[in-house]
Amino acid sequence: MNALIIFMLLAGLMITGMPVSISLGLTVLTFLFAFTQVPIESVALKLFTGIEKFEIMAIPFFILAGNFLTHGGVAKRMIRFATSLVGHWAGGLGLGAVVACALFAAISGSSPATVVAVGSILIPAMVKSGYPVRFGAGVVASAGGLGILIPPSIVMVMYAVSTNSSIGALFMAGVVPGLVLAGMLMFTTWWRAHQGGYPRERRATWAERFKAMRESIWGLLLIVVVMGGIYSGIFTPTEAAAMSAVYAFVVAVFVYKDLKLKDVPKTLLASANMSAMLLYIITNAILFSFLLTHENVPQAISQWLLDNGLGMIAFLLAVNILLLVMGNFMEPSSIILITAPILFPIAMKLGIDPIHFGVMITVNMEIGMITPPVGLNLYVASGISKLGMSEMTVAVWPWLLTMLVFLVIVTYWPPLTIWLPRVLGMM
């Protein structure tokens, strides 16, 4: 009964158009005040202790690093390198976009940032080369999703904070699925280009490829710094985030010199705005999680599922459907922070690996990025390509189907995600 009241309160507030973060906080305050004896002072205490986690510091640093790299000329050099490798195949610029998104994903941690960085350069270039604008926008919006699957990933940090999972193990678990999905998206891109007879680029010589790699090496080295540092134990994921922000600043301002010192305060302010928004959602979501635990909601749901004989396969299917539906209406951070505290204890009771579960949730969030009406990647790509939302929705469908097939593989074949962290001794 209490669970029903809580969720009805939350749904009612969100239907009014209230921001998710405020809806969560108000739900907690209203319920505690009206239906329990819990002193309201404990809410203030929980707000502070909830966000007092070292891991949360990774979020603002990864956002800052992504902003420095987006404005600092790293993206255009990575695109040049990616296109030199695969541009000579059918739909070469489209394939280059997928490779560039995968490379940029490995340094930014954010999907919309990846779409902005790669799309603002490649979508106009593809239209100029004779590709349909729908094709270009569809490829970039879909491949931009790799930003939250290939580590580092802000969404994975959110999941880890919500469930007390290992950020390092989650990051490593995202590597193989990220590469597999990039391969599947490349195949879909090539197939569409082959069917449509889209142009291909001139085959780059090995000297040109080497030159493009040399120019983009400072950006590519960040991948080694972050992943190598975490795996070797030189620094924690949070320290890796801080390291990447400093590294990105030095590369953007002093090495490539594409970001002027006078523009740095603007970048810092944009990053602070984004970080404040996410941290505010996190604090309210931690409050909501505290309320659910206080009322034993996850335990009651898991007991009901077990009593009704719902096993692992049916549970994972139900979770995927729930997350895909929520992905249509909410952004990833909010979904994870609301659902993880409820679903995680049930998954543990059913014997599902927490790292595998985290990657599966991340893939769902990735699909949510390209489904209307709230798909962030659709909005960003729509802004660049000047296509309407309905046209963007049609533009992404071949890649959306590919991602749904990939979701089934990730969900029901755990070795794909947990093999690498196991081999590296992180699980």
Side-chain angles (χ1 to χ4, degrees):
M1 185 61 193
N2 281 356
L4 192 64
I5 294 168
I6 292 168
F7 289 117
M8 280 175 68
L9 270 172
L10 181 64
L13 290 169
M14 284 170 65
I15 287 167
T16 63
M18 194 178 283
V20 174
S21 50
I22 298 173
S23 301
L24 288 168
L26 264 181
T27 301
V28 174
L29 287 172
T30 310
F31 186 85
L32 289 180
F33 194 73
F35 299 98
T36 70
Q37 301 300 311
V38 177
I40 294 296
E41 292 78 19
S42 65
V43 173
L45 186 67
K46 194 69 196 166
L47 277 172
F48 281 100
T49 55
I51 205 157
E52 215 174 22
K53 288 184 178 172
F54 184 60
E55 295 86 355
I56 291 178
M57 285 296 295
I59 294 169
F61 284 128
F62 278 133
I63 289 170
L64 182 58
N67 278 344
F68 278 137
L69 295 166
T70 305
H71 303 297
V74 176
K76 69 180 180 195
R77 291 170 175 85
M78 282 192 164
I79 289 167
R80 214 172 294 145
F81 175 53
T83 313
S84 73
L85 295 177
V86 293
H88 56 282
W89 291 334
L93 284 179
L95 294 169
V98 179
V99 175
C101 282
L103 290 173
F104 198 80
I107 57 174
S108 80
S110 157
S111 265
T114 305
V115 177
V116 169
V118 176
S120 53
I121 297 167
L122 267 181
I123 293 175
M126 287 162 93
V127 173
K128 199 173 169 187
S129 296
Y131 291 84
V133 66
R134 272 188 183 182
F135 177 81
V139 173
V140 174
S142 311
L146 293 167
I148 58 172
L149 181 59
I150 294 177
S153 159
I154 294 168
V155 167
M156 285 183 178
V157 174
M158 294 278 200
Y159 172 83
V161 166
S162 305
T163 60
N164 286 323
S165 302
S166 159
I167 297 180
L170 264 171
F171 278 6
M172 292 302 169
V175 173
V176 177
L179 294 175
V180 170
L181 179 57
M184 288 172 71
L185 292 174
M186 282 179 77
F187 177 77
T188 306
T189 305
W190 173 83
W191 178 254
R192 293 279 295 170
H194 183 69
Q195 296 287 86
Y198 300 155
R200 54 181 79 202
E201 302 299 292
R202 177 184 64 79
R203 183 189 284 269
T205 64
W206 283 104
E208 286 170 330
R209 286 172 182 167
F210 184 72
K211 180 172 179 274
M213 188 179 111
R214 205 174 63 234
E215 285 173 355
S216 64
I217 196 73
W218 288 101
L220 298 171
L221 272 176
L222 184 54
I223 303 170
V224 180
V225 169
V226 173
M227 301 310 290
I230 293 171
Y231 167 59
S232 60
I234 295 172
F235 36 65
T236 65
T238 309
E239 290 161 353
M243 180 78 195
S244 68
V246 174
Y247 181 95
F249 167 73
V250 172
V251 169
V253 176
F254 299 112
V255 179
Y256 290 149
K257 297 178 180 165
D258 283 14
L259 186 69
K260 301 286 175 278
L261 266 173
K262 69 175 193 300
D263 295 326
V264 170
K266 201 162 70 178
T267 308
L268 289 171
L269 190 63
S271 305
N273 279 338
M274 180 73 174
S275 302
M277 183 191 79
L278 283 178
L279 293 172
Y280 186 61
I281 294 173
I282 291 171
T283 44
N284 283 296
I286 286 169
L287 265 188
F288 188 69
S289 165
F290 157 72
L291 177 63
L292 293 176
T293 312
H294 183 267
E295 297 300 319
N296 289 324
V297 173
Q299 294 84 333
I301 295 173
S302 58
Q303 199 52 54
W304 180 83
L305 289 173
L306 293 169
D307 291 345
N308 284 284
L310 197 69
M312 187 194 292
I313 291 173
F315 170 71
L316 289 174
L317 178 65
V319 168
N320 279 333
I321 292 169
L322 171 72
L323 294 175
L324 289 173
V325 170
M326 289 180 79
N328 286 327
F329 304 103
M330 291 164 69
E331 52 89 41
S333 315
S334 311
I335 298 173
I336 286 183
L337 292 165
I338 292 170
T339 58
I342 304 167
L343 301 173
F344 184 76
I346 305 169
M348 295 307 95
K349 216 163 190 179
L350 291 169
I352 297 164
D353 185 273
I355 301 301
H356 166 233
F357 194 60
V359 173
M360 185 194 91
I361 288 180
T362 305
V363 174
N364 274 289
M365 298 305 98
E366 203 175 0
I367 293 170
M369 290 283 198
I370 56 167
T371 51
V374 182
L376 286 176
N377 288 7
L378 290 185
Y379 279 104
V380 176
S382 162
I384 298 167
S385 63
K386 304 289 182 282
L387 287 176
M389 279 302 279
S390 51
E391 285 180 289
M392 274 304 308
T393 307
V394 175
V396 297
W397 79 261
W399 294 276
L400 178 59
L401 289 179
T402 307
M403 288 163 97
L404 288 169
V405 170
F406 175 71
L407 175 61
V408 174
I409 297 169
V410 162
T411 303
Y412 294 113
W413 192 41
L416 182 68
T417 53
I418 57 181
W419 171 78
L420 185 61
R422 281 231 168 107
V423 167
L424 297 176
M426 300 180 88
M427 286 174 69

